[in-house]
Amino acid sequence: MGLKIAVYGATGAVGKEMLTILEERLFPAEEVFALATRKSIGRELSYGDRTLKVKDAATFDFSKVDLVLMSAGGDVSRAEAQKIAKAGAIVIDNSSAWRMDPDVPLIVPEVNADALESRPKKGIIANPNCSTIQTVVALKPIHDRARIKRVSCATYQAVSGGGQAAMDELWHQTRAIYVNDPIEPDALPKQIAFNVIPKIDVFMEDGATKEEWKMTVETKKILDPSIKLFSTCVRVPVFVGHCVAAHLELEEELSPEEARDILREAPGLMLIDRTDEDDPMYVTPIECVGEFATFVSRVRSDPTVENGLAMWIVSDNLRKGAALNAVQIAEVLLNKGILKA
Ligand code: 2RA
């Protein structure tokens, strides 16, 4: 016997990664359904060495499944997730729709798996924002040892965070420039090829973007409400892989060597950090693609503040930033007997 699972939004970049990771991690699924909108019915998606035919989410009988991994956008989640949960399944939702709902756990297993002790009140568990996930995985071990007072960070986020269309846009713009086909001037403010854009999601009243707001409020809900976090979130011309330059102010002093020892042993992290000029080691987005780990490099003291510590955090935003974290939440539910295979 195994679990019956539906991936809702299976044809999207994250949905496809969910199918791949379920199989890679040998998640005990007796049956997996790939669901999407009507226009994708019949499309074939790989699930390991098997092929799944996409079914219509609108007519699917969710009482047939135990678990639904959703990555179908906030509007669909708001409209459908509670109905699906009422049919009996547990929903792990990748959208931002439910993240700040007090009755919906917001989970990064390496940080707050303890928040999952029974079936959630609404039957919904929220997957955090990709840039938040990799940040809190790296902050958690430092916070446990030296308590973080404040974080100031800049993010460098791949276009895949904006979905397949954003990846296609980078590809076409880059190709156009290479084949000497200049991009129309009025399109330039939005050009991402050979450019960076300090705006991800919409602007809010205070001048922050919603992405920057998510970094702050989600870190508080997942890790510690007392942490003050300020960020500038930037889109960069990279296909996959988010980076975060984080600058911490701690309550207690922690040397870079002590911090490295802590990070080296922490769950979900891989420390790649050497500044010998003849053989430097640090991680770039291209090197994190396809990996499960969140990588940390450039661990340094920040002498401009009391107990300052800086670090560079890199992770595959489609994997740990979305699909892997969702599957790891499902693994926690299994291990705790909240989901029974
Ligand atoms: C982005 N974090 O990178 C947002 C949503 N995935 O676009």
Side-chain angles (χ1 to χ4, degrees), residues 16-87:
K16 286 178 196 162
E17 204 68 41
M18 286 172 165
L19 290 171
T20 303
I21 292 173
L22 281 169
E23 200 276 336
E24 276 181 17
R25 292 177 73 92
L26 305 177
F27 192 84
E30 178 192 322
E31 198 167 3
V32 177
F33 300 94
L35 307 180
T37 57
R38 196 178 307 277
K39 69 177 177 9
S40 300
I41 296 174
R43 263 186 67 179
E44 295 191 341
L45 295 173
S46 62
Y47 170 58
D49 54 7
R50 281 163 281 180
T51 300
L52 301 179
K53 273 195 185 297
V54 174
K55 295 180 180 301
D56 183 1
T59 58
F60 185 76
D61 175 5
F62 286 98
S63 66
K64 286 195 312 192
V65 296
D66 307 293
L67 173 69
V68 177
L69 301 182
M70 273 188 99
S71 187
D75 292 343
V76 172
S77 291
R78 271 183 287 275
E80 302 295 328
Q82 282 192 292
K83 280 190 273 184
I84 293 168
K86 284 198 177 87

Side-chain angles (χ1 to χ4, degrees), residues 14 94 99 129-132 157-163 200-201 211 214 235 242 317 321-322:
V14 171
N94 191 51
R99 290 177 186 157
N129 190 38
C130 38
S131 43
T132 307
Q157 298 179 221
V159 294
S160 52
I200 296 176
D201 210 325
E211 188 77 1
K214 289 175 186 174
R235 186 72 78 200
H242 284 359
N317 57 294

Side-chain angles (χ1 to χ4, degrees), residues 27-293:
F27 192 84
E30 178 192 322
E31 198 167 3
V32 177
F33 300 94
L35 307 180
T37 57
R38 196 178 307 277
K39 69 177 177 9
S40 300
I41 296 174
R43 263 186 67 179
E44 295 191 341
L45 295 173
S46 62
Y47 170 58
D49 54 7
R50 281 163 281 180
T51 300
L52 301 179
K53 273 195 185 297
V54 174
K55 295 180 180 301
D56 183 1
T59 58
F60 185 76
D61 175 5
F62 286 98
S63 66
K64 286 195 312 192
V65 296
D66 307 293
L67 173 69
V68 177
L69 301 182
M70 273 188 99
S71 187
D75 292 343
V76 172
S77 291
R78 271 183 287 275
E80 302 295 328
Q82 282 192 292
K83 280 190 273 184
I84 293 168
K86 284 198 177 87
I90 289 182
V91 177
I92 300 174
D93 178 40
N94 191 51
S95 82
S96 57
W98 300 95
R99 290 177 186 157
M100 302 319 292
D101 184 312
D103 294 329
V104 175
L106 182 65
I107 302 295
V108 178
E110 295 88 342
V111 180
N112 66 338
D114 295 347
L116 289 176
E117 285 311 323
S118 60
R119 179 183 166 88
K121 191 171 178 182
K122 288 185 173 172
I124 300 168
I125 300 166
N127 210 34
N129 190 38
C130 38
S131 43
T132 307
I133 291 174
Q134 67 189 76
T135 303
V136 295
V137 171
L139 296 184
K140 164 71 175 171
I142 301 298
H143 187 57
D144 286 349
R145 173 69 70 83
R147 300 210 55 81
I148 299 169
K149 291 192 299 189
R150 178 177 178 272
V151 181
S152 175
C153 57
T155 74
Y156 307 81
Q157 298 179 221
V159 294
S160 52
Q164 189 62 49
M167 295 170 81
D168 295 344
E169 180 189 44
L170 174 58
W171 167 252
H172 291 302
Q173 284 186 6
T174 305
R175 188 176 172 281
I177 289 165
Y178 269 117
V179 298
N180 240 344
D181 176 8
I183 295 171
E184 288 306 312
D186 64 2
L188 285 179
K190 296 183 178 52
Q191 178 181 328
I192 183 61
F194 305 97
N195 199 8
V196 294
I197 299 173
K199 179 182 182 290
I200 296 176
D201 210 325
V202 297
F203 279 117
M204 300 174 76
E205 298 246 313
D206 65 356
T209 62
K210 199 164 183 190
E211 188 77 1
E212 290 152 356
W213 173 82
K214 289 175 186 174
M215 286 284 283
T216 299
V217 295
E218 292 181 18
T219 297
K220 286 176 174 289
K221 182 170 178 180
I222 298 163
L223 183 52
D224 187 327
S226 70
I227 292 176
K228 295 175 188 162
L229 186 142
F230 182 83
S231 64
T232 298
C233 296
V234 181
R235 186 72 78 200
V236 295
V238 166
F239 284 109
V240 179
H242 284 359
C243 305
V244 180
H247 306 95
L248 285 52
E249 293 177 42
L250 309 177
E251 284 188 8
E252 297 167 31
E253 187 178 357
L254 195 66
S255 70
E257 294 71 28
E258 288 169 319
R260 286 191 200 96
D261 289 344
I262 293 165
L263 294 164
R264 195 176 286 115
E265 301 302 321
L269 291 180
M270 188 172 286
L271 180 75
I272 307 280
D273 189 18
R274 184 161 63 207
T275 52
D276 305 350
E277 186 47 35
D278 55 1
D279 183 19
M281 288 178 73
Y282 50 87
V283 179
T284 66
I286 284 179
E287 293 154 307
C288 81
V289 176
E291 298 293 334
F292 285 160

